[in-house]
Amino acid sequence: MKKLFLVALLFGFSPMFAQDDNVDLTPDNSWLKVGLTAGLPVGDASDVSDFTVGADIRGQYLFNPNVAIGFASGYTHYFANDDFEDFGVIPAAAFFRYYFTPDGLFFGADVGYGFLANIDNNDGGLYLNPQVGYHNRDWNFYAYYQNTFAENDLNLSNVGVGVTYNIRFN
């Protein structure tokens, strides 16, 4: 059921990513975001891990001053407790952001697939990552909740904070 939901959701986003010959990418409407995250595992993940760190990369296109879409990936590393091995999540996701003002509050969400690293008998599953934060022309500071609804009723979740730097396309 989760895979069916994921496929339906991705096809629902596909019109947003359709080719348009009139799109002009400029430093004012498109950029690459690179950053770091740190978090605390919650739910199933908190039984085997105490801390997470991650790296994010995002490509963003700003439709207007308030609405942006793009792709998101990276890696979240879960540091395991004594009797377990470290593991991670590699997302492949689309994202949406709403900016209330040119500098200030934003909210957004990543939706896609989370590939699991170093977990036996489980490839991954539906990946969700809602965020709320502050942004300006160069930086984004945010709080997030990240969850991968993996196979075999395994949910890998963490809450944390992140920061990204905007690299403008020329």
Side-chain angles (χ1 to χ4, degrees):
M1 182 66 175
K2 290 177 187 174
K3 288 182 182 180
L4 180 61
F5 174 74
L6 176 62
V7 169
L9 191 59
L10 289 177
F11 279 116
F13 273 119
S14 64
M16 294 174 66
F17 297 103
Q19 294 290 329
D20 183 356
D21 294 336
N22 297 328
V23 172
D24 188 24
L25 300 180
T26 70
D28 292 326
N29 70 6
S30 54
W31 49 88
L32 190 64
K33 297 172 173 291
V34 293
L36 299 172
T37 62
L40 298 173
V42 294
D44 295 342
S46 68
D47 295 337
V48 297
S49 175
D50 292 325
F51 190 71
T52 68
V53 295
D56 280 344
I57 186 165
R58 299 166 187 278
Q60 176 175 291
Y61 175 72
L62 198 62
F63 277 104
N64 62 45
N66 301 100
V67 177
I69 62 167
F71 65 88
S73 192
Y75 178 73
T76 300
H77 186 85
Y78 287 79
F79 291 94
N81 295 338
D82 298 332
D83 297 333
F84 300 95
E85 291 186 33
D86 291 0
F87 54 96
V89 175
I90 303 165
F95 82 86
F96 167 84
R97 281 219 175 140
Y98 184 82
Y99 299 100
F100 291 93
T101 60
D103 288 344
L105 182 67
F106 76 86
F107 76 87
D110 303 348
V111 178
Y113 192 86
F115 296 92
L116 302 185
N118 204 31
I119 295 181
D120 294 334
N121 301 320
N122 204 324
D123 295 328
L126 177 63
Y127 172 85
L128 298 175
N129 183 5
Q131 306 161 3
V132 62
Y134 169 83
H135 76 99
N136 61 33
R137 181 167 169 82
D138 296 320
W139 294 94
N140 299 267
F141 304 93
Y142 58 92
Y144 69 88
Y145 169 75
Q146 183 184 94
N147 194 353
T148 302
F149 298 92
E151 299 169 351
N152 305 323
D153 292 325
L154 175 66
N155 293 329
L156 296 180
S157 307
N158 75 88
V159 295
V161 294
V163 60
T164 57
Y165 180 73
N166 298 329
I167 301 169
R168 307 269 172 202
F169 295 143
N170 290 325

